[in-house]
Amino acid sequence: MTVTVTLPERSQTAAPVRPAASVEKPSLIGLDREALGAALRDKGVPDKQIKMRVAQIWNWIYVRGVSDFDHMANVSKDMREMLKTHFTIARPEIVEEQVSNDGTRKWLLRFPPRGAGRPVEVESVYIPEEGRGTLCISSQVGCTLTCSFCHTGTQKLVRNLTAEEILAQLLLARDRLGDFPDRETPVGTMMPSSDRKVTNIVMMGMGEPLYNFEEVKKALLIATDGDGLSLSKRRVTLSTSGVVPEIYRTGEEIGVMLAISLHAVRDELRDMLVPINKKYPLKDLIEACRNYPGLSNARRITFEYVMLKDVNDSLEDAKGLIQLLKGVPAKINLIPFNPWPGTNYQCSDWATIEKFADFINQAGYASPIRTPRGRDILAACGQLKSESERMRKTERMAFEAMMIAGHGEDDD
């Protein structure tokens, strides 16, 4: 059953389902402290006030979660009027919000054109799990990659998302889940983190995040800032298809967990499944993984592996996988493929998947088999299109939901 809902608005921060603010006003969301200070200075805030004003605004945006300058109670009225005149902190438009009977939530969000010629839309997905809640965030509108088993790759790249738009997905999810403190909570109160609904995020939505490195970096450094959204870097996972030059930079400059969309252990097969392999072959990819800063048994790399019948699911493939990853602290997510009408691939038999997983486990690698989540809300994505088109979108999104779950560490 599909349930489309509008949640009750919280007293201060819940994002209303309405068009986003005028694009003429720049957003303060996504600016680091230095850039935020520069924006305030440019509008006439005295130098001696900059540090204090930045701290105030930062706290209201990222700790309190406000989306309206009028809710910044300890900021003077004149200052609030200046902020409203020149800037925005509004959330994006929610085109659609759906809740699955298993608790999975999905938001279709609309952002301004910003060079794309028309407004753009992306999806964010929230999956509650035992002891955690994982939010999947998009980094691009469309994708330049053409992975042969992935429908996202059939949509051409429209544009990169900005740091503001990346962070807005997290802020909006926390709004809708009631994950910010109530308005009446005293300013400066240390908020507990144990009952948070969004505990983990994965850069695994639409797009290749390492092809939008700078904006993703800005967003994730703010998301993991200890004086703001305060997510542990061990609970943030960036997933890449293998943009080798940026992998080391990810560990060095962002410091989050890494996931690799692997899916094959031979170059000739991966060239077909994940064509970026032609540019960055397995040898280079695995070498970059071995050198990932901070890599250890406590900070493993996750390798995603879609199980395709008679393509990559033999015991020889399993042996090759163990050999390929030898010496790399790793977890291997096995993902049963969800076929759609017209695809050339089929899902591996369940017995084959279990045999593959058993072999990996016996070699000392954790290899959970992912199960679908949120199928009942994914079926509605096609809306009034044909049954075939609905099924194609349903199966693609079910596949993506399986990939989202289980990323990042449970404990700090």
Side-chain angles (χ1 to χ4, degrees):
M1 179 179 67
T2 299
V3 180
T4 302
V5 300
T6 300
L7 301 183
E9 302 296 339
R10 297 193 306 114
S11 58
Q12 66 151 354
T13 64
V17 183
R18 57 175 171 74
S22 171
V23 297
E24 280 99 20
K25 292 183 182 180
S27 177
L28 297 182
I29 297 169
L31 301 182
D32 62 20
R33 288 179 178 82
E34 183 178 355
L36 179 53
L40 297 179
R41 186 178 292 108
D42 184 61
K43 299 305 177 186
V45 176
D47 283 346
K48 63 182 181 180
Q49 293 186 20
I50 292 294
K51 184 176 180 180
M52 180 263 291
R53 295 303 188 189
V54 166
Q56 284 181 322
I57 294 170
W58 188 275
N59 183 271
W60 282 111
I61 293 175
Y62 298 120
V63 177
R64 315 287 299 184
V66 303
S67 56
D68 187 330
F69 290 117
D70 281 333
H71 292 142
M72 296 183 174
N74 64 344
V75 176
S76 68
K77 183 177 180 180
D78 288 346
M79 182 72 176
R80 294 200 304 268
E81 289 300 318
M82 183 278 288
L83 293 171
K84 286 192 292 184
T85 299
H86 297 290
F87 304 107
T88 181
I89 51 173
R91 304 293 190 252
E93 176 187 354
I94 301 175
V95 178
E96 188 174 36
E97 177 177 27
Q98 295 175 287
V99 183
S100 166
N101 57 23
D102 67 10
T104 298
R105 294 174 183 263
K106 184 180 67 176
W107 296 278
L108 180 63
L109 306 178
R110 182 173 293 149
F111 293 107
R114 291 179 178 161
R118 56 180 172 77
V120 298
E121 296 177 353
V122 299
E123 287 178 331
S124 300
V125 178
Y126 172 74
I127 296 183
E129 305 173 76
E130 185 66 32
R132 69 166 80 188
T134 301
L135 179 69
C136 179
I137 294 176
S138 295
S139 59
Q140 296 179 310
V141 183
C143 188
T144 59
L145 305 179
T146 54
C147 300
S148 59
F149 54 85
C150 178
H151 266 284
T152 303
T154 65
Q155 180 181 348
K156 293 181 180 180
L157 178 68
V158 177
R159 69 171 175 84
N160 287 332
L161 294 179
T162 65
E164 171 211 344
E165 292 164 334
I166 294 168
L167 278 171
Q169 297 171 69
L170 173 56
L171 295 174
L172 185 139
R174 292 189 66 177
D175 280 347
R176 305 306 287 176
L177 294 167
D179 216 13
F180 281 117
D182 290 333
R183 187 174 184 177
E184 291 75 20
T185 306
V187 176
T189 301
M190 295 298 293
M191 301 308 301
S193 59
S194 57
D195 295 327
R196 284 186 180 178
K197 294 181 176 64
V198 180
T199 63
N200 294 50
I201 61 175
V202 291
M203 297 299 305
M204 197 179 283
M206 188 179 294
E208 165 55 65
L210 294 190
Y211 279 154
N212 188 18
F213 183 88
E214 294 300 334
E215 295 302 306
V216 168
K217 174 183 173 180
K218 291 177 191 175
L220 292 186
L221 289 180
I222 292 174
T224 56
D225 187 289
D227 293 323
L229 292 163
S230 197
L231 284 165
S232 166
K233 290 187 177 183
R234 290 179 61 181
R235 288 176 173 263
V236 177
T237 301
L238 184 149
S239 177
T240 177
S241 293
V243 185
V244 168
E246 308 297 346
I247 287 177
Y248 186 86
R249 288 188 66 198
T250 299
E252 187 72 13
E253 300 179 27
I254 308 177
V256 296
M257 307 293 279
L258 183 69
I260 303 292
S261 293
L262 188 63
H263 312 308
V265 298
R266 305 184 308 277
D267 279 322
E268 61 273 19
L269 177 58
R270 195 165 191 268
D271 285 350
M272 179 175 64
L273 297 179
V274 189
I276 195 176
N277 193 74
K278 297 174 184 177
K279 187 173 184 179
Y280 305 116
L282 284 167
K283 180 181 177 181
D284 296 340
L285 174 59
I286 299 305
E287 184 65 19
C289 291
R290 291 185 196 282
N291 294 321
Y292 191 70
L295 184 63
S296 67
N297 287 328
R299 294 175 65 87
R300 298 171 294 173
I301 293 175
T302 299
F303 290 88
E304 310 287 355
Y305 198 93
V306 178
M307 300 299 295
L308 302 170
K309 186 174 183 178
D310 298 328
V311 175
N312 65 351
D313 62 353
S314 70
L315 278 181
E316 287 302 311
D317 288 304
K319 292 175 183 177
L321 183 55
I322 297 303
Q323 187 63 35
L324 182 70
L325 302 183
K326 187 175 182 180
V328 179
K331 178 173 73 172
I332 302 162
N333 277 351
L334 301 180
I335 304 165
F337 177 66
N338 287 284
W340 52 76
T343 182
N344 293 323
Y345 300 110
Q346 298 178 28
C347 181
S348 303
D349 298 332
W350 194 256
T352 300
I353 297 174
E354 289 186 326
K355 186 182 296 185
F356 197 102
D358 287 343
F359 186 90
I360 301 299
N361 278 315
Q362 290 170 12
Y365 290 92
S367 56
I369 302 171
R370 294 298 169 201
T371 54
R373 298 290 304 272
R375 280 185 180 272
D376 55 315
I377 64 171
L378 302 179
C381 292
Q383 298 180 351
L384 300 180
K385 295 184 180 180
S386 71
E387 183 66 30
S388 173
E389 288 177 310
R390 282 204 302 271
M391 179 59 70
R392 291 175 68 179
K393 187 68 174 289
T394 299
E395 298 299 344
R396 176 180 68 79
M397 290 299 297
F399 161 70
E400 292 175 353
M402 282 190 288
M403 295 184 70
I404 293 166
H407 283 279
E409 299 299 318
D410 293 322
D411 302 304
D412 292 340

